[in-house]
Amino acid sequence: MLLSAGIALNRGNRRAWTTLARKVHSKGSISPIAPGAAAAAAAAALQQQQQQQGNRAPGILFDIDGVLIRGNTVLNEAKEAFQMLSKRHLLKNIPYMFVTNGGGTTEAHKAHQLSKWLHVPVSEKQVVLSHTPLRMYEQYFNKTVLLIGQGPLKEIAASYGFQKTLDLDDMRKAFPLMDIVNMKVRKQLKSHPPTPIPVPPVEAIFVMHDPLEWESCLQVLIDLLISKDGVPGTLDSKQHIPIIFSNADFLWMAEHPQPRFGQGAFRLCLEALYKELTGRDLLYTQLGKPFGVTYDYAEKLLNEQAQKLGYDGLSYFYMVGDNPRSDVRGANSRQNGRSVLVRTGVFSPHLDNDPSDPAHFVVPHVRDAVQLVMRHFDDGLHHHGGSDELHAHFVQKSRTRSEK
Ligand code: G3P
Ligand code: MG
């Protein structure tokens, strides 16, 4: 159960564990996890600031998978779109960012990749990965956190401020009898019983990127989520360890003609196993698009960029994305968001718009999305957010700059 949507414990089914539940029922539970108080205050201040000041610039958020790339293939329309933006000097005049539910790398490395793909300079401050908002969870900086997913997660987590991190291999070495799905491992245990390398109790779990070896991850996570205070092999009738997932995408688009399972599919499997085993709903926190914590973070950076460009701040933003459930739903949930849905990714090419998360605009690809945005700037088209004279001022400003 998504914690930010509140807690609903299912007491209905009586599985093996509930007998245990009756024994130790009273032990505590965990509460919704929010970013540190500072971050929440900053988000509120930003909203207020946007309402008050006049001289603000519109911004653009670009999704990555299904919009700029398909797996390892950079879409031509993406290169052309950024050529157009740089020709119009817009890249120097408006705040723009890349907000992806992808991850497993550092923001700096992703910025470097984007610069190479699009032939425009991209700084790491212009990149929000699925796990970037973890930076705000300072309450875990000194706690022992298990990191799940592919890529240099310990390095990434350390760059955010997390001092004590573990990964799947650390857990396996500490509890060699835990992950025994693999027959070879079982044989190994018999022929060469390993000496466990102890680890401290796990105090939180971060699923930071698409996991590999789902069977092992599922087993280890379940053992921790049913444990007594983060020690596999122990049991408790309540979930004590908070778990944060960075990306809710059930599907995403790579080169294959149909969408691929994403981190959200893994979460669904974990939830189903936890429910089957305990009769309870798994309590978790979700980051990534469409959730507020990620859009708050992206808007904060867009606003800072706008101020660096000499404006008082951000007025409204376009979100150019391929996934109605993440890109469109997220932008539509923001008072100053405008959703632009492209047909080069998850969104089915046969529909005019998405029935449950209809976008403000639907276009074939990102080049057309950029043309639409530029036309709005030129025609002073506003659907909501920002003021007409601001827009006229902005167009004038970018014209004078481009004439320089
Ligand atoms: O794993 C990445 C995928 O879920 C989607 O990424 O860039 O389309 O938000 P993106
Ligand atoms: Mg996408």
Side-chain angles (χ1 to χ4, degrees):
M1 169 65 67
L2 178 57
L3 271 178
S4 54
I7 301 177
L9 281 181
N10 166 342
R11 299 192 186 288
N13 80 23
R14 297 257 152 253
R15 306 264 170 209
W17 298 110
T18 45
T19 42
L20 175 76
R22 231 174 276 117
K23 283 200 212 90
V24 294
H25 190 59
S26 60
K27 293 245 166 43
S29 68
I30 52 175
S31 50
I33 313 166
L46 174 61
Q47 288 288 340
Q48 204 184 10
Q49 186 194 36
Q50 284 175 333
Q51 263 110 34
Q52 274 150 9
Q53 287 164 5
N55 171 30
R56 280 171 277 128
I60 309 180
L61 298 181
F62 290 97
D63 174 43
I64 298 181
D65 290 293
V67 172
L68 305 177
I69 61 170
R70 287 275 300 266
N72 297 319
T73 310
V74 183
L75 302 182
N76 289 333
E77 294 87 357
K79 295 176 197 162
E80 291 152 7
F82 278 81
Q83 255 162 25
M84 275 196 308
L85 285 168
S86 65
K87 238 203 228 110
R88 273 285 305 268
H89 300 281
L90 279 173
L91 297 181
K92 292 198 193 90
N93 281 314
I94 57 163
Y96 66 100
M97 306 255 319
F98 302 89
V99 184
T100 173
N101 274 349
T105 183
T106 61
E107 290 75 12
H109 178 250
K110 186 56 78 179
H112 172 69
Q113 280 183 312
L114 286 160
S115 314
K116 254 188 9 196
W117 296 336
L118 305 171
H119 312 298
V120 294
V122 178
S123 87
E124 71 176 281
K125 275 223 150 212
Q126 290 178 288
V127 173
V128 175
L129 302 172
S130 66
H131 41 68
T132 306
L134 280 174
R135 282 199 165 117
M136 298 187 284
Y137 286 74
E138 62 244 16
Q139 65 266 47
Y140 293 105
F141 283 177
N142 293 312
K143 297 215 189 290
T144 302
V145 181
L146 173 62
L147 311 176
I148 295 289
Q150 298 166 69
L153 300 186
K154 285 186 174 181
E155 181 203 326
I156 299 166
S159 74
Y160 293 164
F162 299 98
Q163 330 247 321
K164 303 181 204 162
T165 57
L166 300 170
D167 60 19
L168 190 64
D169 280 343
D170 296 327
M171 296 308 291
R172 284 178 171 142
K173 289 184 192 127
F175 303 92
L177 304 178
M178 183 165 54
D179 175 20
I180 47 108
V181 175
N182 183 335
M183 293 297 285
K184 283 204 200 88
V185 171
R186 278 187 230 170
K187 278 209 187 80
Q188 190 76 9
L189 283 174
K190 200 149 164 260
S191 57
H192 304 83
T195 317
I197 305 169
V199 293
V202 172
E203 295 168 278
I205 300 165
F206 295 168
V207 181
M208 290 176 65
H209 190 35
D210 305 358
L212 269 184
E213 305 173 280
W214 284 30
E215 79 285 0
S216 304
C217 290
L218 292 168
Q219 182 68 75
V220 171
L221 291 186
I222 291 282
D223 285 336
L224 283 167
L225 293 163
I226 63 173
S227 74
K228 187 170 167 27
D229 301 330
V231 181
T234 64
L235 277 176
D236 202 329
S237 67
K238 285 239 182 285
Q239 179 189 340
H240 288 282
I241 301 187
I243 180 166
I244 301 182
F245 292 90
S246 71
N247 170 10
D249 288 352
F250 177 59
L251 297 172
W252 67 289
M253 206 64 177
E255 279 107 336
H256 186 76
Q258 272 86 42
R260 306 294 75 195
F261 286 135
Q263 193 191 121
F266 174 80
R267 193 204 71 233
L268 286 176
C269 295
L270 186 72
E271 285 189 89
L273 291 174
Y274 185 83
K275 179 91 175 179
E276 182 63 25
L277 195 61
T278 67
R280 301 189 303 267
D281 292 323
L282 176 68
L283 308 175
Y284 64 91
T285 293
Q286 186 67 66
L287 305 181
K289 299 171 290 183
F291 298 100
V293 64
T294 291
Y295 278 91
D296 283 348
Y297 198 83
E299 277 193 57
K300 181 170 87 65
L301 294 180
L302 266 184
N303 196 57
E304 284 166 12
Q305 240 188 83
Q307 286 165 345
K308 270 217 188 86
L309 290 169
Y311 304 102
D312 294 325
L314 177 75
S315 56
Y316 55 91
F317 68 87
Y318 294 87
M319 172 76 228
V320 182
D322 72 303
N323 189 330
R325 303 292 162 271
S326 59
D327 307 307
V328 174
R329 187 176 291 179
N332 288 1
S333 72
R334 316 292 291 186
Q335 187 222 349
N336 58 345
R338 296 176 173 196
S339 47
V340 185
L341 183 59
V342 299
R343 297 180 181 284
T344 47
V346 169
F347 172 57
S348 126
H350 313 300
L351 296 172
D352 287 344
N353 203 335
D354 185 79
S356 39
D357 293 289
H360 290 109
F361 310 99
V362 180
V363 293
H365 44 63
V366 64
R367 192 189 63 231
D368 284 0
V370 164
Q371 254 159 357
L372 173 125
V373 172
M374 293 204 302
R375 217 179 25 255
H376 285 183
F377 293 166
D378 294 343
D379 305 347
L381 271 179
H382 294 287
H383 292 275
H384 56 74
S387 63
D388 282 351
E389 52 285 349
L390 161 75
H391 195 269
H393 157 76
F394 166 74
V395 169
Q396 187 45 44
K397 206 168 166 182
S398 71
R399 280 230 178 90
T400 35
R401 280 194 182 193
S402 59
E403 276 141 23
K404 271 196 207 118

